[in-house]
């Protein structure tokens, strides 16, 4: 069965990605490529329209949330269907502290992370002891509960949402241009990528992989499965909340509609599409999910249909996602 | 005091009594075997010891502490390691990574260490690698450390499992049919390896095995169970001459070998 599936990916798209993967697997070309890309992305706003910068900022935002969800879904193998709720937690924490209490934006960030950790613990601690399917249901429910709660509370501005969230100030500059946010989200995306790689190549990252491969064998090796999963859940949630806080600062206004189920689905789609657990794959997934709707307005309307078809093709031909699995002798160690 | 003391251990699955009032002791520094026909409940005893099954009654005392209510990872932490009857490797990971898993319970870097790459985290990673390499060297497959576990031949995969168990730095090593599927030469090497594990690493070994020749060669004392009940214990000679054992086990073994 498994062998049959492996053989199927002789499609040209797969081959292109495979050679790309080789490129990423060796350190020198990877660093060279990264340097060129970073230089290009730093230069980009100097010679591009507001529109392009807007799209790119959106892309960086997606890279961050996708990498955050990837820690939960990809690294730890937990199905999470309500991730948008966690960036809602971040966005509303910053929103309320900033617009109602006038707290400096940067000071709201620790609170946003704390709120996400508490929410993550409240959801994760009881459910992660149970079988995997429960987490999917509970997170799905949590997503809706958060949306309905912020819709009905006064402090969150009800259905209208919150307005008047203060702009962040950095080195005396008020961040109110799209170019500012372009760089802010770019930095956040770079941090997210570095953190993801470092987590992946660590004791914690390996523990997630052991558990994903064989839960019983992992616990026989002395790994506390529940605790290690909870780590993933909380770290991923904190990622989402941080992105949510920055989103609130960029928009200066947030409403419950920014955090609907469909957003959770799109983020999950990007992670699955690119290849769960594989960082370049997840970035590729984020690129696909954010850029396809922008290609033309007409396509934008059929976005969901296109993604549904894409996902179907993928499930048939490459269930492991676009990015290839590690093969044969690894050069990693 | 014995390293492991099992008293009246009973494990029921509904009406089936897989382990029945079993008592036995494993002394530190010994090699002990548990034998019995197919379905006798041997693997169930291991699963109780390592916390995977909840015994119905009785007691298990490891290094002076009851492990009746302990979770598997805590029991490993206390110094008990196991291998599985059917190989349970992390197939999509390298041999090295597989063995590094054993060091998880002996180290403690978490999020901050991983992200900030602190000095202590780096030192710990280095230690994990050193111990893993040492264990791979001990079982003789250090040259295969960068292979994907699933790409190794069966005999080598078994050795990865032993190295992985050794990497947890156990006091007591439970081996569930380690010789199954090995050829003559590999079995001879296994006997040698078990003796070295005991003598050089001071690890006590508790072994389940069907290959009577191997069991008699390597272990000083043998426990025989049938339908979860202990029917004999003693030296290989005593056990071989015990009529109950001959009836329950040795008679059946011949038919099994014929298959
Ligand atoms: N999880 C379980 N649920 C119900 N019955 C079980 C379970 N695990 C084992 N059993 C039963 O307990 C009995 C003992 O099984 P066990 O696996 O311990 O045998 P064994 O002595 O290891 O046999 P073998 O030599 O074939 O490995 C068998 O009848 C088996 O069917
Ligand atoms: Mg068995």
């Amino acid at each position: 069965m498994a062998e049959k599936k492996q053989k199927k990916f002789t499609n040209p798209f797969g081959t292109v990605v495979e050679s790309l993967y080789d490129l990423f697997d060796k350190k020198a070309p990877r660093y060279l490529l990264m340097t060129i890309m970073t230089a290009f992305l730093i230069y980009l706003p100097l010679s591009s329209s507001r529109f392009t910068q807007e799209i790119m900022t959106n892309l960086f935002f997606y890279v961050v949330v996708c990498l955050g969800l990837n820690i939960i879904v990809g690294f730890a193998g937990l199905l999470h269907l309500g991730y948008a709720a966690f960036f809602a937690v971040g966005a509303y924490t910053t929103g309320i502290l900033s617009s109602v209490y006038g707290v400096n934006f940067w000071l709201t960030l620790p609170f946003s992370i704390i709120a996400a950790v508490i929410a993550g613990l409240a959801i994760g601690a009881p459910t992660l002891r149970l079988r995997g399917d429960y987490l999917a249901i509970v997170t799905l429910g949590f997503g809706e509960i958060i949306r309905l709660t912020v819709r009905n509370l006064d402090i969150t501005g009800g259905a209208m949402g919150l307005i008047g969230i203060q702009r962040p100030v950095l080195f005396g500059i008020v961040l109110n241009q799209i170019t500012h946010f372009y760089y802010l989200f770019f930095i956040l995306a770079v941090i997210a990528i570095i953190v993801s790689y470092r987590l992946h190549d660590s004791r914690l990252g390996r523990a997630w992989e052991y558990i994903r491969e064989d839960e019983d064998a992992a616990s026989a090796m002395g790994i506390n499965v529940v605790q290690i999963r909870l780590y993933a859940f909380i770290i991923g949630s904190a990622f989402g909340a941080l992105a949510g806080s920055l989103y609130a600062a960029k928009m200066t206004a947030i409403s419950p509609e920014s955090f609907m189920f469909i957003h959770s689905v799109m983020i999950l789609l990007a992670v699955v599409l690119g290849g769960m657990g594989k960082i370049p794959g997840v970035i590729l997934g984020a690129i696909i999910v954010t850029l396809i709707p922008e290609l033309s307005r007409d396509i934008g309307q059929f976005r969901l249909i296109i993604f549904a078809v894409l996902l179907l093709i993928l499930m048939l031909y490459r269930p492991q996602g676009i990015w290839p699995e590690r093969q044969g002798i690894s050069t990693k160690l | 005091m014995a390293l492991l003391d099992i008293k009246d251990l009973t494990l029921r699955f509904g009406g089936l009594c897989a382990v029945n009032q079993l008592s036995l002791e494993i002394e530190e520094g010994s090699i002990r075997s548990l034998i019995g026909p197919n379905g006798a409940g041997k693997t169930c005893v291991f699963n109780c010891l390592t916390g995977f099954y909840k015994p119905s009654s009785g007691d298990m005392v490891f290094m002076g502490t009851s492990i009746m209510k302990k979770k598997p990872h805590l029991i490993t932490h206390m110094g008990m390691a196991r291998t599985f009857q059917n190989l349970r490797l992390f197939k999509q990971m390298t041999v090295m990574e597989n063995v590094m898993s054993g060091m998880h319970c002996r180290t403690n870097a978490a999020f901050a260490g991983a992200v900030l790459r602190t000095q202590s985290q780096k030192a710990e990673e280095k230690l994990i690698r050193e111990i893993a390499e040492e264990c791979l060297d001990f079982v003789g497959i250090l040259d295969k450390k960068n292979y994907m576990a699933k790409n190794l031949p069966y005999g080598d995969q078994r050795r990865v499992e032993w190295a992985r168990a050794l990497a947890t730095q156990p006091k007591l090593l439970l081996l569930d049919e380690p010789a199954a599927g090995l050829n003559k030469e590999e079995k001879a090497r296994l006997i040698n390896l078990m003796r070295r594990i005991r003598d050089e690493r001071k690890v006590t070994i508790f072994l389940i095995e069907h290959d009577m020749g191997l069991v008699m060669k390597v272990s000083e004392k043998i426990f025989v169970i049938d339908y979860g009940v202990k029917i004999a214990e003693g030296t290989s000679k005593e056990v071989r001459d015990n009529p109950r054992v001959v009836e329950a086990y040795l008679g059946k073994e011949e038919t099994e070998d014929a298959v």
Side-chain angles (χ1 to χ4, degrees), chain A residues 130-141:
Chain A
L130 308 171
R131 268 204 351 262
D133 342 0
Y134 288 96
L135 187 74
I137 296 163
V138 170
T139 49
L140 179 67

Side-chain angles (χ1 to χ4, degrees), chain B residues 96-113:
Chain B
M96 183 71 175
E97 286 168 322
N98 265 275
V99 180
M100 284 160 80
S101 70
M103 277 297 285
H104 183 94
C105 63
R106 303 284 169 237
T107 47
N108 43 43
F111 178 76

Side-chain angles (χ1 to χ4, degrees), chain A residues 54-327:
Chain A
E54 191 76 55
I55 292 172
M56 291 305 288
T57 307
N58 191 30
L59 169 62
F60 297 147
F61 172 74
Y62 251 75
V63 166
V64 175
V65 287
C66 288
L67 285 174
L69 183 64
N70 181 53
I71 292 173
I72 301 173
V73 176
F75 287 176
L78 305 165
L79 185 53
H80 193 320
L81 294 176
Y83 195 59
F86 283 92
F87 66 86
V89 166
Y92 272 96
T93 306
T94 289
I96 292 167
L97 288 176
S98 170
S99 72
V100 181
Y101 299 102
V103 179
N104 177 317
F105 168 77
W106 303 107
L107 291 181
T108 68
L109 295 184
F111 290 99
S112 159
I113 291 174
I114 290 168
V117 169
I118 292 172
L121 272 174
I123 302 284
T127 30
L128 288 176
R129 285 164 209 285
L130 308 171
R131 268 204 351 262
D133 342 0
Y134 288 96
L135 187 74
I137 296 163
V138 170
T139 49
L140 179 67
F142 180 67
E144 282 307 282
I145 289 169
I146 285 285
R147 193 177 63 83
L148 291 174
T149 309
V150 296
R151 218 188 141 85
N152 288 298
L153 286 182
D154 283 338
I155 194 156
T156 55
M160 298 280 293
L162 282 174
I163 49 167
I165 298 163
Q166 292 169 35
R167 297 289 196 179
V169 180
L170 195 61
F171 306 125
I173 305 167
V174 180
L175 304 184
N176 53 11
Q177 306 286 314
I178 180 63
T179 312
H180 295 154
F181 284 101
Y182 175 97
Y183 286 117
L184 191 62
F185 277 87
F186 175 64
I187 291 167
L188 193 67
V190 169
I191 292 173
I193 291 169
I194 293 171
V195 168
S196 288
Y197 267 111
R198 290 195 160 189
L199 277 176
H200 182 264
D201 299 326
S202 74
R203 172 174 175 270
L204 203 52
R206 285 191 303 270
W208 288 325
E209 209 167 337
Y210 299 139
I211 293 172
R212 228 172 51 223
E213 287 268 321
D214 188 329
E215 199 177 321
D216 286 340
S219 61
M221 288 299 105
I223 293 170
N224 184 345
V225 173
V226 175
Q227 184 197 25
I228 294 290
R229 279 189 172 147
L230 198 56
Y231 264 133
F233 196 74
I234 287 171
I235 295 169
S237 302
F239 253 69
L242 216 51
S245 291
L246 264 76
Y247 175 85
K250 172 174 176 273
M251 305 307 280
T252 68
I254 46 174
S255 75
E257 268 53 55
S258 323
F259 310 103
M260 290 204 299
F261 176 60
I262 186 69
H263 291 104
S264 301
V265 172
M266 292 310 265
I267 300 164
L268 186 61
L269 180 75
V271 173
V272 175
L273 206 63
M276 291 182 285
K278 292 164 279 186
I279 297 161
V282 171
I283 297 171
L284 186 66
I287 293 173
I288 293 172
V289 168
T290 45
L291 293 194
I292 284 185
E294 305 291 350
L295 288 180
S296 113
R297 270 225 181 111
D298 297 336
I299 292 182
Q301 282 184 347
F302 298 106
R303 174 171 86 129
L304 289 181
I305 297 176
I306 291 175
F307 285 137
V309 172
L310 249 174
L311 208 54
L312 275 177
I313 295 173
L314 201 74
M315 287 304 132
L316 286 174
Y317 292 100
R318 259 188 104 80
Q320 73 273 45
I322 296 174
W323 207 259
E325 295 290 349
R326 290 163 65 187
Q327 301 284 332

Side-chain angles (χ1 to χ4, degrees), chain B residues 34-216:
Chain B
L34 181 63
I35 64 169
N38 286 110
K42 305 180 295 293
T43 301
C44 286
V45 172
F46 274 19
N47 282 337
C48 288
L49 283 173
T50 49
F52 284 95
Y53 287 168
K54 283 252 153 312
S56 318
S57 62
D59 199 5
M60 305 177 290
V61 179
F62 179 52
M63 299 201 304
T65 314
S66 173
I67 50 170
M68 283 297 280
K69 294 202 167 63
K70 288 223 157 44
K71 293 255 163 58
H73 67 96
L74 288 176
I75 293 172
T76 307
H77 197 88
M78 286 177 69
M80 197 187 299
R82 73 175 291 178
T83 64
F84 292 89
Q85 182 168 356
N86 308 307
L87 282 172
R88 298 285 289 268
L89 290 178
F90 308 117
K91 294 195 192 65
Q92 296 278 357
M93 300 176 82
T94 66
V95 169
M96 183 71 175
E97 286 168 322
N98 265 275
V99 180
M100 284 160 80
S101 70
M103 277 297 285
H104 183 94
C105 63
R106 303 284 169 237
T107 47
N108 43 43
F111 178 76
V115 172
L116 303 176
R117 293 277 146 107
T118 53
Q119 284 304 314
S120 67
Q121 190 264 358
K122 281 184 191 154
E124 210 178 78
E125 284 290 298
K126 192 158 161 270
L127 179 73
I128 293 173
R129 273 160 208 281
E130 277 168 10
I131 301 264
E133 286 186 353
E134 189 270 322
C135 292
L136 280 169
D137 194 29
F138 191 85
V139 302
I141 47 167
L142 183 57
D143 54 327
K144 307 243 170 84
K145 67 173 181 175
N146 289 337
Y147 279 74
M148 217 54 121
K150 62 172 182 190
N151 294 344
L152 291 189
Y154 183 80
D156 285 348
Q157 292 198 15
R158 283 248 165 230
R159 291 204 264 177
V160 176
E161 239 200 3
W162 303 330
R164 189 176 72 173
L166 287 177
T168 66
Q169 302 171 0
K171 285 257 179 321
L172 174 65
L173 182 59
L174 308 179
L175 299 170
D176 197 345
E177 302 200 19
L182 299 189
N183 60 34
K184 252 210 171 86
E185 194 187 318
E186 286 171 325
K187 277 182 187 172
R189 229 184 294 151
L190 171 64
I191 293 174
N192 182 25
L193 183 70
M194 282 195 281
R195 289 190 178 133
R196 278 178 56 218
I197 289 175
R198 195 257 311 261
D199 298 337
E200 292 172 27
R201 306 180 81 95
K202 311 282 175 243
V203 177
T204 308
I205 294 178
F206 190 22
L207 169 81
I208 293 177
E209 189 45 68
H210 272 301
D211 184 325
M212 286 303 290
L214 189 146
V215 167
M216 303 209 168

